[in-house]
Structure formats: C-alpha cells, structure tokens
C-alpha cells in the first residue's frame, strides 16, 4: 500500500477492520500474535484486547479470523466495501 | 478408497464433539482408520503404517485447528480437510451448547460424513478439470524488489495484481490466478490448498479458496470476477509447487472472465505492485 491508500483511495475513508465480539472472545491472543500490522493491542482491564489501529488492517484481508477458535472476529460486507471504494474513486475523478 | 481420519479430541467445545463424531461415523461408513490425536502425539510410530498406506482426512472442530496443526507439526501429508465450524455455518443449524451432542450436532456430523463419503467416491474429473484449453506461456521478464536479503520477483508484463497479493493473467476469455512471489515467501512452505469448487462464480474480491502453511491460513482474494473452469491438479497434490514457481506451474485456478477489462480498474500493474511490495516488506 502506498502511504495509506488502497486502490487510490485514502485508507481512512474505507471501513474495513475486524470487530471483536467480547461475548465470544477468550483473549487467547492468537489474532494479535498472528497479524503483522499492529491492528490489535493488548490493554489492562476487562477488555484485554482492542482493535487499536483499524486503518492498519489490509482491506479485504480476513486472515486473523481464521485463527480465532471461538469465531469472535467479524468483518464488514465485502460487496458494500467495494461499492464504497468505487463511489469514492468516481467522486474523486469527477472533481 | 480407504482412508485414515484424524479429528479434534472433542473435549473443548461442541464443534469438537462433532469432529470426533465424524471420525467415528467415517469408520463405519467408509472403513476409515481412526487416528487418536493424543496417542499420535505420543507415538507417531504407532500409526506409521496406517498413514503410509492411506490418504489422511483431518477434521478440525474450530479455527484453532489443533488437529491440522498436529498433522503439520509431524509433517503428515493431508489429503483433505473439514472444518466443522464452516460446515455449521453453511448448514444453518444451531449447535446445542453441550459436549454431549444433541440432535443438531448429530445431524451436522452426518451431513459432514455424507459429504466426505461422496468426495471420496467421486471421480477426480468431477472435482478438478485437468483439461487446459489455453497455453499460458511463463513470464519472460521480472522486476525484482529487494529488501534485506530477500528478493521478490514480479513479472514485468501480462500479470495484474490486487493489493492482497493475488495475481491474474488473462488470455482470451479466460485467466489464471495465483499468488505472488512475495506472498509465497511470507507464507513459507504451503502444505494445503483448499481449492474452490468447479463452476463456482465469484465476484471481484470474493473468496477463491484458501492456502495453508505452518504460519497462516491465506484467503485467496479473487482479483477478477469469473467462473472457475479449472483447478490446478498439480498444486492440490503438491502444494509447494506454489512456492517453487508462483507465476507458472504454481497457478491455482483458471477462471472464465466475468467482467474484464472493467475489473482492471481496481488492479495494480507490475510497477504499482512493486511499490506495494516494497512498502509491505519495509513495514513487516
Ligand atoms: S483469536 Fe479470537 S478469541 Fe483469541 S484473542 Fe483474538 S478475537 Fe479473542
Ligand atoms: S484482517 Fe488481516 S490485516 Fe486485518 S487485523 Fe486481521 S490479520 Fe491483520
């Protein structure tokens, strides 16, 4: 990714990152160990894991969810995200 | 075809109990030899003969994939795999929350067994197409991105990439799809290819199966929309071919193109992908 853009769109305009379901998560930290992009961070307190850097997440990657035994990680809908990216690209090429 | 079956012990979650039940039912439905994971872990020798003589089916309960990881740690060749959690999602059933299986758990186990028995008896041609209609010449020239002591090759022409490190090489109305040299090196030796079904239609950025190495499970994100017309039989039987020749013999699937050249708008050419690889290598 060239300086926080994805397919020519500023990364922070694209909604794509894991969401932790705290009812399911057992804080095994497999996902945090697995992801090389520092998306997750460990914290003190009850919620010992948070999605601290959502925009570090590689758009369309879902790899960490495949390491999660309790199936506690979810992602946005892909077609909706693609539509969002296409709409932004169109808007920006018009300007 | 006879088989050996290695499942999760089934003592942690209901999905595990289903995995264990699948192994037991496969023994009676298809004569599979059950491999106890705990004993296997203690004594590989005990199962040497069974493993040498039979293709191995691995049944994982959940994505922790203990059975797969055990097989990988012992360098066992896995012929096919089932993940109960995936089967559960596609079945639409709700699993009873206990380790003793309820009606839904047993029904799910039976559905998985039926699928396995069917896939063991189906002719290979129904699963993979070996007939390749088009000759795809290998890349002629490469760009090389270097980082530390690593070198990542990228074909200079004819290949397009998505940001998820998957390439597409269109030719006529079809295209081959595979993963880049950078991604095969990041994954290290690939030991299992879970290929998409023949005739599956995917949208651009949809899922075209997964690859597994000891490091990760990698989702093949479709670079283009299309319909699967062939799966490379050689990478199914020898997944490290992807590591050896990622842009040539290590292709994964062939698609009939669904929306080309429009899809190209959201892909990177060789130069743009080289910049992306450089950036990722520096970040990692
Ligand atoms: S892998 Fe799943 S259960 Fe483990 S810490 Fe991450 S979200 Fe929680
Ligand atoms: S989806 Fe991929 S990039 Fe995003 S947090 Fe998970 S592993 Fe990291």
């Amino acid at each position: 990714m060239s300086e926080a853009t994805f397919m020519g769109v500023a990364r922070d305009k694209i909604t794509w990152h894991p969401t932790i379901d705290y009812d399911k998560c057992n804080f095994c930290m497999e996902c945090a160990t697995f992801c090389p992009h520092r998306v997750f961070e460990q914290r003190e307190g009850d919620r010992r894991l948070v999605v601290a850097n959502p925009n570090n997440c590689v758009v369309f990657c879902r790899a960490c969810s495949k390491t999660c035994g309790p199936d506690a990680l979810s992602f946005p809908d892909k077609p909706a995200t693609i539509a969002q990216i296409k709409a932004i690209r169109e808007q920006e090429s018009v300007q | 075809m006879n088989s050996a079956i290695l499942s999760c012990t089934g003592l942690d979650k209901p999905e595990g109990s289903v995995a264990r039940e699948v192994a037991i039912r496969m023994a009676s439905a298809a004569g599979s030899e059950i491999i106890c994971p705990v004993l296997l872990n203690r004594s590989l020798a005990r199962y040497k003969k069974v493993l040498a003589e039979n293709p191995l089916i691995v049944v994982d309960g959940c994505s922790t994939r203990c059975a797969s990881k055990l097989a990988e740690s012992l360098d066992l060749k896995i012929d096919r795999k089932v993940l109960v959690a995936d089967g559960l999602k596609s079945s639409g059933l709700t699993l009873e929350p206990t380790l003793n299986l309820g009606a839904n758990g047993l029904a799910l186990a039976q559905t998985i067994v039926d699928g396995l028995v069917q896939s063991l008896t189906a002719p290979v041609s129904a699963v993979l197409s070996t007939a390749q209609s088009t000759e795809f010449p290998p890349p002629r020239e490469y760009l090389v991105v270097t980082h530390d002591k690593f070198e990542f090759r990228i074909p200079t022409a004819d290949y397009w990439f998505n940001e998820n490190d998957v390439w597409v090489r269109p030719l006529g109305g079809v295209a081959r799809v595979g993963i880049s040299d950078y991604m095969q090196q990041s994954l290290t030796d690939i030991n299992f290819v879970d290929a998409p079904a023949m005739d599956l239609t995917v949208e651009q950025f949809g899922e075209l199966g997964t690859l597994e190495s000891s490091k990760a499970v990698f989702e093949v994100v479709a670079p283009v929309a299309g319909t699967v017309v062939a799966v490379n039989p050689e990478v199914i039987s020898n997944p490290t071919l992807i590591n050896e020749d990622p842009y040539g013999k290590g292709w994964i699937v062939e698609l009939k193109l669904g929306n080309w050249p429009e899809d190209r708008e959201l892909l990177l050419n060789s130069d743009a992908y080289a910049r992306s690889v450089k950036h990722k290598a520096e970040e990692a």
Side-chain angles (χ1 to χ4, degrees):
Chain A
M1 239 173 304
S2 49
E3 303 322 310
T5 65
F6 184 82
M7 303 191 300
V9 174
R11 178 63 184 85
D12 55 13
K13 289 190 184 167
I14 305 171
T15 324
W16 185 270
H17 58 80
T19 301
I20 304 169
D21 180 341
Y22 289 102
D23 289 335
K24 291 185 181 170
C25 176
N26 61 19
F27 303 105
C28 68
M29 305 299 169
E30 286 274 348
C31 56
T33 313
F34 171 81
C35 175
H37 303 286
R38 291 180 288 274
V39 172
F40 300 97
E41 273 177 23
Q42 302 197 29
R43 292 282 151 86
E44 300 290 315
D46 271 358
R47 295 194 165 181
R48 277 176 285 145
L49 183 76
V50 294
V51 177
N53 301 302
N55 292 339
N56 281 7
C57 178
V58 178
V59 180
F60 302 134
C61 180
R62 294 191 286 212
C64 52
S65 70
K66 298 191 193 289
T67 68
C68 176
D71 197 19
L73 294 170
S74 60
F75 288 88
D77 178 51
K78 266 193 194 180
T81 307
I82 295 164
Q84 185 191 27
I85 293 169
K86 284 193 173 161
I88 299 171
R89 282 169 65 98
E90 224 152 81
Q91 230 176 37
E92 288 181 353
S93 68
V94 173
Q95 285 164 8
Chain B
M1 179 168 53
N2 211 346
S3 55
I5 191 158
L6 171 67
S7 80
C8 155
T9 58
L11 293 169
D12 181 57
K13 317 184 169 61
E15 284 86 345
S17 302
V18 175
R20 180 175 176 277
E21 184 68 22
V22 167
I24 296 168
R25 290 186 180 213
M26 280 300 288
S28 48
S32 301
E33 300 271 356
I34 295 178
I35 296 181
C36 164
V38 184
L39 181 53
L40 175 70
N41 192 33
R42 285 282 303 150
S43 162
L44 177 59
R46 164 69 180 73
Y47 291 113
K48 256 223 151 89
K49 187 156 178 284
V50 171
L51 288 165
E53 289 171 357
N54 298 289
L56 177 64
I57 305 170
V58 173
V59 189
D60 288 303
C62 72
S63 297
T64 308
R65 300 185 306 118
C66 299
S68 286
K69 284 180 189 157
L70 175 61
E72 281 156 21
S73 74
L74 296 171
D75 266 332
L76 303 182
K77 173 141 181 44
I78 300 171
D79 186 74
R80 60 197 74 203
K81 267 194 201 197
V82 178
L83 179 62
V84 171
D86 279 353
L88 178 62
K89 271 182 211 153
S90 50
S91 73
L93 292 167
T94 314
L95 218 49
E96 294 85 357
T98 53
L99 292 182
N100 272 326
L101 290 173
N104 287 352
L106 293 170
L108 176 60
Q110 191 57 44
T111 308
I112 292 172
V113 167
D114 292 345
L116 273 173
V117 170
Q118 203 185 15
S119 83
L120 286 173
T121 48
V124 175
S125 59
V127 189
L128 315 167
S129 158
T130 43
Q132 283 124 46
S133 41
T134 318
E135 276 290 317
F136 285 82
R140 270 165 303 187
E141 264 184 282
Y142 293 97
L143 290 170
V144 180
V145 174
T146 50
H147 180 73
D148 287 344
K149 54 185 191 313
F150 296 101
E151 288 195 346
F152 308 113
R153 293 181 314 156
I154 299 164
T156 49
D158 306 324
Y159 288 68
W160 296 83
F161 301 81
N162 62 19
E163 303 238 20
N164 307 85
D165 307 289
V166 181
W167 56 257
V168 57
R169 186 198 195 295
L171 193 66
V174 291
R176 279 199 179 155
V177 171
I179 65 165
S180 72
D181 185 30
Y182 168 71
M183 186 41 69
Q184 73 71 18
Q185 291 190 48
S186 320
L187 286 170
T188 68
D189 280 0
I190 294 163
N191 53 38
F192 192 74
V193 176
D194 190 1
M198 286 291 289
D199 298 325
L200 176 84
T201 298
V202 282
E203 295 300 314
Q204 191 179 27
F205 303 111
E207 180 173 336
L208 271 180
T210 55
L211 310 178
E212 291 185 38
S213 72
S214 58
K215 277 182 101 176
V217 178
F218 176 79
E219 174 180 334
V220 180
V221 176
V224 289
T227 304
V228 177
V229 291
V231 171
N232 186 354
E234 285 173 53
V235 305
I236 302 290
S237 55
N238 177 21
T240 47
L241 202 55
I242 300 173
N243 300 99
E244 286 155 23
D245 189 8
Y247 299 112
K249 293 198 179 78
W251 63 277
I252 301 165
V253 293
E254 225 169 85
L255 296 176
K256 187 164 164 283
L257 289 164
N259 193 30
W260 188 264
E262 288 80 358
D263 282 349
R264 203 168 58 198
E265 194 200 329
L266 296 181
L267 296 176
L268 306 170
N269 65 16
S270 307
D271 288 328
Y273 183 63
R275 285 193 294 275
S276 165
V277 165
K278 191 150 185 60
H279 191 79
K280 285 182 201 180
E282 280 164 3
E283 248 190 5

